[in-house]
Each structure stands twice: as structure tokens, then as C-alpha cells.
Amino acid sequence: MVKPSPAFAVIPGGQVQAALAGREKQVVEIVEAAYRLHGAGRTVNPPSYFLRFPDRPDARIIALPASCGGDIGVDGIKWISSFPANITSGLPRASAALLLNDPATGYPFACMEASIISAVRTAASAALAADRLSEGRPRPRRLGIVGTGLIARYVHTFLAATGWEFEHVGVHDLNPEYARDFRVYLEQTGERAPVTVHETADDLLRSCDLVVFATVAGKPHVTDPGLFAHRPLVLHVSLRDLAPEIILASANIVDDVEHCLKADTSVHLAEQRTGNREFLTGTLYDVITGAVRPDPAQPLVFSPFGLGVLDLAVGKYVHDLVRDAGELHVVDDFFHELDRYGQRRTTTG
């Protein structure tokens, strides 16, 4: 008989979105499982590789290779671009593809649209952190969102789907039109709290005790530690918004120490300023397992660099949902050279 060819499927964005819709709680559980595997040393997550362009200094494409063991059991890589200039032409800033590899053979078995997966794993990580980091301190009731793009939308969706209710929601964007549009979006999605558009990030910070930074800032633009005197919980998703002075005056939780302290993130700038890492309180894994309890008397900042193992975990979940529904788009004979001598040989048995 003819040797079987390894299967290879392509999963477009529509299928990814449909598979994940309404499954926010399950995705948070998957992301937590991936964090636990990572903290237990059952993943491989090398440093991300940044492809930059001298003629397009604000653009980049990042490669995130990873391997996730345990019940997830998948290898792969996410290839994600960030081109901020896209926004002016109506295209989203980020685009991405995720390639999944079989850990037994090394053969890739799926390629899927991954900007949605990337946004979902980021939002699930933020929702998980908000829940775990609010333990032992007053649960936030006033949400503030700085930056009103795709990531902000998904973070709000995941917070709402995992039980968060707010008395007030504030939004701010450097483009006031984007902020106003985001307010309309929130109101249309059923957000019951009044939504206020703030002219400045400082005004928003003063009025909110759960703050989400989801900007494209390349360097710190919030510099006054006094804005955090009320000890908010900050989900610093975009990583470069806060000056080192704010980081050094806060309790700091990261997803992975080595990943976060590079590429001029705010925590990396704090390390450069001090020459040490003593300002780090611990990792989210430490919090999940109870090894670390941040001081409730300090502002609390969660800085997630974004781990490739999370993309793999969510991507594998999507693949399995689509496969089990019998809806995989399989590319026949994707792998051509499968015989040492350049021909398909038959076997008897």
C-alpha cells in the first residue's frame, strides 16, 4: 500500500474566531495550564526574535518558537508583525500566522491565522492575572483602558466573560476619535457601567483602580508615581508605558523574568537604572501556586512579555475543536518528498 502522507491543515481566521467565541472561561483555563507547565519546567520557550527594518523603524516582525509539554503536547512558532502605519489605511496594526508541529515527527500539521489567537491569549492572560492578583486586596471596581485597539477589545471581552463587573469604565486614546468609537463599542456590547472618555491618561489613572495599558508606545509616557498613590492593579500589557520610577515604586509581577527584562520594556529600563532585579516581586506562576503574595500596600503592576507557549496552547485547542467538528481544511499531498529515492514506494503487509 502507499505510505500515508502526514496531514496538513489550514485554519483561516473565520474558523479561529468561531471556535473561540463564547469559550473565554475555557481559554483562561488553558492559559493557566500553560503557565503551570512553564513554571514547572515542562516547556521550551526561547527568546523571541525581532526582525527590524532600517527603512521602517516603527515596524517589526517577531518570531516566537516554543514547545509545550504535558497534556497540550505541541511544538511550533508564531510569526507576528506589528506595522503601526497600517492603522491610517484601515488595516489592523498586527497580523500573524501560527504553525503547529507534531512533537513525535516534527512535521507541521496546521497553519492558522493567529492575530486572533494572539489577542485571545493576551486577553486570557490579563483576565487570569486580574483575578489572581486581586486576591488579598480590595477587588477593583473602576476599570480604565489606555489604548483602544484590538487588544483592548479582547481584554474587556475576557474580563466581562469571567465575571468582572464595574461601577465605571474609563477609556483614553491619543486619537480622541478612536476613544469615542471604543466607548460606543463598549455600550453596544452590553457594558452596564457608564463609560467616560478621558482626555489624558493621567485623568484616567486617577479615577481607576484596574488599569489596562494596551498601546503601541515605544517608550514611557506615564512618569508620575503619584498617579498610583491609590494602589491600583495595572495590567501593563503593552510593556513600555511606565517610567522606571513607577516600576520601582510598585510590586511587580511578570510572566517570565528573562523574557520581560529585555527589549527596553519598562521593567528592563528599571533594571538598567538600578543594576539589579530586586524590584521584581515574582512571576504569575508564583502567584498562582501561592509562593508569592504581593504587598497590598503598593501599586501592583503585571508586565506580561507574551509567551509563545500560550499561543501554542490556544492554537492546539482551536485545531482540536475544528478537527473534532469535522471542519478541517486539509491540503492534500502538502508534503511531496516523502521517499528517500524521490518516489512513492509501496509496502506489503
Side-chain angles (χ1 to χ4, degrees):
M1 62 180 180
V2 176
K3 289 181 179 179
S5 175
F8 184 81
V10 175
I11 304 176
Q15 281 190 313
V16 173
Q17 189 173 58
L20 292 171
R23 291 188 167 97
E24 290 84 4
K25 291 182 179 179
Q26 294 93 322
V27 173
V28 171
E29 291 173 356
I30 289 166
V31 165
E32 179 174 350
Y35 273 129
R36 287 182 179 273
L37 288 169
H38 185 66
R42 301 184 66 188
T43 66
V44 181
N45 206 109
S48 303
Y49 182 83
F50 286 71
L51 176 63
R52 299 187 182 275
F53 314 96
D55 60 331
R56 293 158 285 163
D58 64 336
R60 65 182 186 268
I61 307 178
I62 312 172
L64 287 80
S67 174
C68 199
D71 293 337
I72 295 172
V74 67
D75 307 330
I77 187 168
K78 182 176 73 172
W79 182 240
I80 183 166
S81 68
S82 174
F83 279 55
N86 285 351
I87 296 173
T88 60
S89 63
L91 278 175
R93 171 187 60 85
S95 60
L98 178 67
L99 197 64
L100 302 181
N101 293 72
D102 184 338
T105 66
Y107 271 81
F109 62 87
C111 180
M112 60 184 66
E113 198 283 332
S115 66
I116 296 170
I117 287 171
S118 189
V120 163
R121 65 85 151 146
T122 300
S125 170
L128 174 65
D131 186 60
R132 293 309 183 97
L133 294 175
S134 62
E135 297 174 359
R137 57 197 296 132
R139 191 168 176 87
R141 301 292 297 168
R142 304 183 306 279
L143 172 66
I145 301 175
V146 182
T148 57
L150 179 75
I151 298 299
R153 175 158 58 88
Y154 272 91
V155 170
H156 178 269
T157 296
F158 269 76
L159 289 173
T162 53
W164 284 85
E165 295 182 354
F166 301 101
E167 298 171 353
H168 168 263
V169 176
V171 299
H172 168 72
D173 197 287
L174 288 178
N175 186 320
E177 183 180 354
Y178 293 162
R180 291 191 295 268
D181 289 346
F182 194 67
R183 177 180 62 186
V184 172
Y185 160 76
L186 293 177
E187 293 169 346
Q188 291 176 341
T189 59
E191 173 58 61
R192 289 180 288 182
V195 181
T196 301
V197 175
H198 292 268
E199 292 186 4
T200 67
D202 289 4
D203 289 342
L204 179 146
L205 287 167
R206 292 188 183 97
S207 65
C208 297
D209 52 6
L210 175 60
V211 180
V212 178
F213 281 97
T215 74
V216 294
K219 58 183 180 180
H221 58 95
V222 179
T223 60
D224 181 6
L227 295 170
F228 300 83
H230 57 299
R231 303 185 300 277
L233 170 54
V234 180
L235 305 177
H236 191 202
V237 175
S238 40
L239 292 172
R240 297 172 178 85
D241 302 86
L242 305 179
E245 292 83 358
I246 295 169
I247 296 297
L248 295 175
S250 304
N252 291 281
I253 300 295
V254 298
D255 56 356
D256 182 280
V257 173
E258 296 302 328
H259 282 73
C260 278
L261 271 72
K262 65 179 183 180
D264 288 335
T265 62
S266 293
V267 288
H268 186 207
L269 295 179
E271 180 189 35
Q272 294 174 23
R273 174 77 60 86
T274 63
N276 62 63
R277 300 178 174 183
E278 295 176 2
F279 58 88
L280 291 182
T281 307
T283 67
L284 184 57
Y285 173 76
D286 294 331
V287 174
I288 290 171
T289 58
V292 163
R293 294 294 182 197
D295 184 356
Q298 289 183 290
L300 180 53
V301 179
F302 174 55
S303 299
F305 196 81
L307 301 177
V309 294
L310 304 185
D311 297 289
L312 293 186
V314 176
K316 180 64 161 46
Y317 178 62
V318 169
H319 170 271
D320 292 351
L321 287 172
V322 176
R323 180 201 60 200
D324 294 346
E327 297 174 353
L328 277 179
H329 298 300
V330 177
V331 180
D332 292 330
D333 296 324
F334 181 81
F335 301 104
H336 181 65
E337 285 281 358
L338 293 173
D339 187 273
R340 176 177 295 188
Y341 304 104
Q343 59 184 342
R344 286 186 176 273
R345 296 189 297 169
T346 60
T347 60
T348 58

